[in-house]
Each structure stands twice: as C-alpha cells, then as structure tokens.
C-alpha cells in the first residue's frame, strides 16, 4: 500500500505542483507515472534476483529507498530534481512490488494462496485512495506538506518489515515442473495485466483535470479520486471470495467489459455525480479483474523459479502500462478531447481480455 501511496502522491496535488514547476498536463502525467520507470525496465531481472534472497531484507531496503526519494521530491527546488527523485523512489517501488507476492507465495498454503494474492492486488487502489485523501489537505497546508504526509505509510511499513519479515525466503530451489506450454502464457498474462492496470490508474490520475473541464473545482476531483479508488477494494475482495468458492478465473474476467461502459459514462456526460458513479464502476470492475489476473500467475507458471520471473514480468508489464497510461491519455485528450479517452479504454480493455483468455486456455492433449 505504501508503494501505491507513492504512485498516487501527486494526483490530488496537480494544481500546486504544475503551478510550482510550470508543467503541462502531459509532463504532469509523466511525473505521476515516473515512479514506475525502474520497474518498467528491470522488474524481470529483479524478480529472478530477489527470488533467491532474503525477501524481508529486500522489502525493507526498498521501503528505505522510497522514503529517501519521497523526501527529495517534496523538497525539490526545480523540476530536474523532482523527476530524478521520482526515479530514485521507483527503485524502492520495484523492490516492494516484486517481493510482496513472493512473500505471500512462500508463506501461504495452496488453499489460501489465490485469496491472499487477490487481496494483495488491492494495494494500488487502497494506496491511491489514501494518497488522494491526504492530498485534499494540499489546499490548506500546501502541496509540499501534504506530500510529506504521504510518507507516513512507508515509515510504518518499514518498521513492520524490519520487525516481522526479516529472514523470510522464497522457494526458488524447488524443482521445475513442466507443463509443455513454454513461457508464452506468463508473457500474455503479464501483458493483459498491464493493459487493464493502466486504465484504472489513468482514470484516477486524470479525474482532477476532468473536474476542471466540467466546471468543478480540482480539489473536488481529488476527493472524488480518493473515494472512487476505494471501489476497487471490494472488487478485489469479491474476486478472492469467488475464486475461493471455485468460480473460474475466465468467467470472472468477463467483468472487465464493464470498463468501456463506465468510460462512456465518465467522459461523455457533464453532471459530476454521474461521472463519479461511472468512475466507481470502472474501479470496481478493474479491481475485480486485476485480482483475478494476479491470482492466476501461479496456475500458468511452471515452477517457483518461473513464478519469481513471472511476477517480475507481470510487475514490469504493469509498470510500463502505468508509466505510459497517464501521459498517453493526457496527450490524446489534449489533442482530440475526452471522446478519445472512451475509444482508447474500449480498445485497451478488449485487447487485455483477449490476452488473458489466450494465456489461461487449457493446453490440448499431447501427441503420442
């Protein structure tokens, strides 16, 4: 959750940060997603490296680096330092998002693993909601002070990791179990996760700007982002419950088709209440489907070693999506208006669903 708070730190602080550094909407989008740039480049090798290390120590180190980067961000005198600190924080972000699911996989039995991973997948919406809630103080105490308050969850997480998780190791030494399908399913599942993840994060990141466009104060957009982000949490919890009761991941994934419908509501109407309902619908559907995708990785990976590589790839692909989503959609909206956002959400959603269905397709019988 502390990693997702870092991801969403600047979303509700858009007006203050853009005024302070003279950033365009596209440049601000890069700032929001910039914390994922290291993960976008290095998550796969990081997953392989981390799988054989003390996971608790790596998690603690990542949280420490995030704190340093966050402190530099809220004290940055110029944009160059701000963006550099964002990349530094991204190194810690990478360590956190790669080690988290590996710790769960090593500590949970087969009966509870899917539910635990589905719960883990809710960390982004919970963190974004918390960051947005804290960010509403920006108009009162200033964006720097509000940004500093978002560092508190990382401090709490670091204390917990040092106290209870040091010494936890993965299971990368377990034997390889072949399934005859190669690495393709893991790759396709990761790309599907990237596409679905970028929709939810981008929708929340641009809500303050959408509010301004609809004649609503940006601060109201920030509050709305905090509230609707939480809608993904019951979606993720519902996914964990239904998976635990034997509902198939492929059936649950069809909920993603609600996201284009929600986008049509968000970007094509004017009343802010209706927009907020559409945004909440999008976050709920996204939270459910992302939990299903996250929990499906152990079923497509062929060994604990490949599971580490798989979660590395999933986080790398997800980070690429999160990195590119806000600036890409911001550019499209600037050039072609909010209708383009509906078109892009629809195209990305259908592509993500298709990739997931192919990734989880049962292999045919082997030839004699």
């Amino acid at each position: 959750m502390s990693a997702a708070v870092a991801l969403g730190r600047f979303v509700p602080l858009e007006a203050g940060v853009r005024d302070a550094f003279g950033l365009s909407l596209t440049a601000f989008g890069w700032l929001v997603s910039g914390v994922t740039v290291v993960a976008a480049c290095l998550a796969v090798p990081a997953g392989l490296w981390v799988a054989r290390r003390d996971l608790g120590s790596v998690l603690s180190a990542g949280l420490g680096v995030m704190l340093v980067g966050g402190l530099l961000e809220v004290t940055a005198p110029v944009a160059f330092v701000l963006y550099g600190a964002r990349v530094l924080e991204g190194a810690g972000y990478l360590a956190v998002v790669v080690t988290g699911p590996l710790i769960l996989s090593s500590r949970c039995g087969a009966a509870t693993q899917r539910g635990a991973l589905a719960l883990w997948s809710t960390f982004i919406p919970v963190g974004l909601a918390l960051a947005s809630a804290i960010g509403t103080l920006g108009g009162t105490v200033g964006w720097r002070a509000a940004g500093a308050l978002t560092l508190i969850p990382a401090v709490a997480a670091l204390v917990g990791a040092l106290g209870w998780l040091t010494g936890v190791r993965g299971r990368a030494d377990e034997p390889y179990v072949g399934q005859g399908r190669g690495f393709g399913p893991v790759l396709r599942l990761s790309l599907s996760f990237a596409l679905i993840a970028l929709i939810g994060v981008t929708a929340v990141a641009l809500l303050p700007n959408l509010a301004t466009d609809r004649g609503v104060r940006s601060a109201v957009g920030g509050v709305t982002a905090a509230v609707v982000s939480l809608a993904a949490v019951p979606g993720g919890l519902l996914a964990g419950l239904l998976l635990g009761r034997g509902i198939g991941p492929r059936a649950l994934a069809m909920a993603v088709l609600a996201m284009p419908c929600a986008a049509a509501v968000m970007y094509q109407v004017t009343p802010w209440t209706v927009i907020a309902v559409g945004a909440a619908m999008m976050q709920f559907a996204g939270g459910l489907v992302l939990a299903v995708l996250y929990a499906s990785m152990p079923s497509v990976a062929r060994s604990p070693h490949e599971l580490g590589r798989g979660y590395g790839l999933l986080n790398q692909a997800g980070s690429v999506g999160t990195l590119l989503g806000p600036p890409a959609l911001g550019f499209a909206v600037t050039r072609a208006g909010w209708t383009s956002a509906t078109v892009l959400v629809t195209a990305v959603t259908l592509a993500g669903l298709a990739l997931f269905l192919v990734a989880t397709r049962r292999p045919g019988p082997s030839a004699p």
Side-chain angles (χ1 to χ4, degrees):
M1 184 185 71
S2 60
V5 170
L7 175 63
R9 173 174 300 126
F10 294 113
V11 170
L13 305 175
E14 176 188 356
V17 175
R18 289 180 64 184
D19 288 345
F21 296 100
L23 303 179
S24 66
L25 179 60
T26 302
F28 179 76
W30 283 113
L31 177 65
V32 170
S33 58
V35 73
T36 64
V37 67
V38 179
C41 298
L42 300 174
V44 172
L48 293 173
W49 181 81
V50 165
R52 299 180 182 274
R53 301 300 188 279
D54 181 330
L55 299 177
S57 296
V58 174
L59 178 64
S60 299
L63 290 166
V65 172
M66 284 182 60
L67 279 172
V68 173
L71 284 171
L72 289 174
E73 288 170 17
V74 299
T75 58
V78 294
F80 176 81
V81 176
L82 179 67
Y83 281 92
R86 198 67 167 155
V87 173
L88 174 64
E89 188 176 31
Y93 176 92
L94 168 61
V96 172
V97 299
V98 168
T99 54
L102 294 178
I103 289 175
L104 286 176
S105 295
S106 67
R107 298 289 287 266
C108 296
T112 59
Q113 188 179 80
R114 270 188 170 176
L117 289 171
L119 180 62
W120 163 266
S121 73
T122 65
F123 80 92
I124 286 184
V126 172
L128 289 178
L130 182 56
S132 296
I134 295 173
T136 59
L137 299 174
T140 303
V141 301
W143 74 266
R144 293 184 187 274
L149 291 174
T150 64
L151 299 175
I152 295 175
V155 174
L158 179 58
V159 172
L162 290 172
W164 292 295
L165 294 178
T166 300
V168 175
R169 303 188 71 87
R171 299 185 292 197
D173 55 339
E174 293 184 11
Y176 174 91
V177 179
Q179 293 178 338
R181 293 193 293 168
F183 195 60
V186 171
L187 176 61
R188 286 186 284 271
L189 178 62
S190 299
L191 292 176
S192 174
F193 184 88
L195 293 175
I196 305 303
L198 77 84
I199 296 173
V201 171
T202 302
V204 170
L206 294 184
L207 269 178
N209 186 263
L210 179 61
T212 302
D213 187 76
R214 296 296 189 264
V216 178
R217 289 188 300 116
S218 179
V220 174
V223 173
T224 304
V227 174
V228 302
S229 294
L230 289 175
V233 178
L237 295 177
L238 179 61
L241 176 64
L242 295 177
L243 287 169
R245 293 190 175 185
I247 305 298
R250 291 166 66 89
L252 291 176
M254 293 301 165
V256 78
L257 296 176
M259 298 183 80
C261 301
V265 173
M266 286 178 63
Y267 302 129
Q268 304 306 313
V269 303
T270 301
W272 189 251
T273 302
V274 179
I275 291 174
V277 171
M281 182 194 309
M282 178 179 290
Q283 295 303 311
F284 179 85
L288 190 154
V289 175
L290 287 176
V292 170
L293 269 58
Y294 218 95
S296 296
M297 182 59 75
S299 67
V300 300
R302 298 173 295 171
S303 69
H305 174 77
E306 189 167 286
L307 181 63
R309 182 170 61 165
Y311 273 121
L313 180 60
L314 185 146
N315 281 297
Q316 183 160 344
S319 295
V320 170
T322 304
L323 175 68
L324 299 179
L329 194 60
F331 178 81
V333 168
T334 300
R335 297 286 178 153
W338 291 101
T339 300
S340 64
T342 304
V343 175
L344 287 174
V345 167
T346 301
V348 170
T349 297
L350 294 177
L353 176 61
L355 285 167
F356 173 74
L357 293 176
V358 173
T360 55
R361 182 177 55 195
R362 292 181 179 274
S366 300

